[in-house]
Amino acid sequence: MNTSNSGSWTRFQSLLEARRDALRAEMRAQEQRVLQSHSDAAHEVVDQKDGATTQQQDEISSAQEQLELHELGAVEAALLRIAKGTYGFCADCGEAIPLARLELAPATLCCAPCQAARERHRPG
């Protein structure tokens, strides 16, 4: 770990922990909304239009859940890197990630040039 930034890492750790907790809370709340929605729907007569709307809402909820799970994984990985002392260094080239980038995206894994290279080589 770059000891000159250890105070910053504490601040980033707090930000990451808060985001992790917020994501977990949102995921629990969304799960409860879906359960309640399905429970309510079980007691109603549903026509095709209502059924299509419910299906569309379920698909949106599922996509949102996948995004939140992905972000939660990135946040937890960043917290692990803080604990291991590797936070703030690019996973690809090993160079320090600029603080300005970490400010914008505390869970980032790579410096901007390496992230751009990853995105250029991403399939489809």
Side-chain angles (χ1 to χ4, degrees):
M1 178 189 293
N2 184 342
T3 56
S4 65
N5 292 323
S6 60
S8 296
W9 297 168
T10 302
R11 186 171 58 79
F12 286 118
Q13 182 175 0
S14 296
L15 290 170
L16 289 161
E17 288 171 344
R19 184 62 184 148
R20 177 195 59 202
D21 295 346
L23 284 166
R24 287 177 177 171
E26 177 55 34
M27 291 169 72
R28 283 190 301 271
Q30 179 61 23
E31 184 178 305
Q32 289 301 314
R33 285 191 294 271
V34 168
L35 290 174
Q36 185 62 45
S37 172
H38 287 282
S39 175
D40 292 347
H43 300 292
E44 296 177 8
V45 175
V46 179
D47 63 17
Q48 286 183 341
K49 185 177 177 183
D50 290 339
T53 299
T54 299
Q55 181 180 355
Q56 186 178 32
Q57 289 171 340
D58 288 348
E59 290 171 3
I60 291 169
S61 293
S62 178
Q64 181 65 33
E65 180 182 6
Q66 289 303 311
L67 288 172
E68 289 171 347
L69 280 171
H70 178 75
E71 183 180 0
L72 181 59
V75 167
E76 289 177 339
L79 288 167
L80 184 59
R81 289 192 305 277
I82 289 173
K84 288 182 173 183
T86 59
Y87 182 79
F89 294 95
C90 179
D92 290 349
C93 70
E95 294 294 318
I97 298 171
L99 284 176
R101 179 164 172 77
L102 292 171
E103 291 282 345
L104 292 173
T108 194
L109 183 62
C110 299
C111 64
C114 288
Q115 184 63 41
R118 281 178 176 224
E119 290 173 4
R120 279 192 304 273
H121 295 103
R122 186 178 297 155

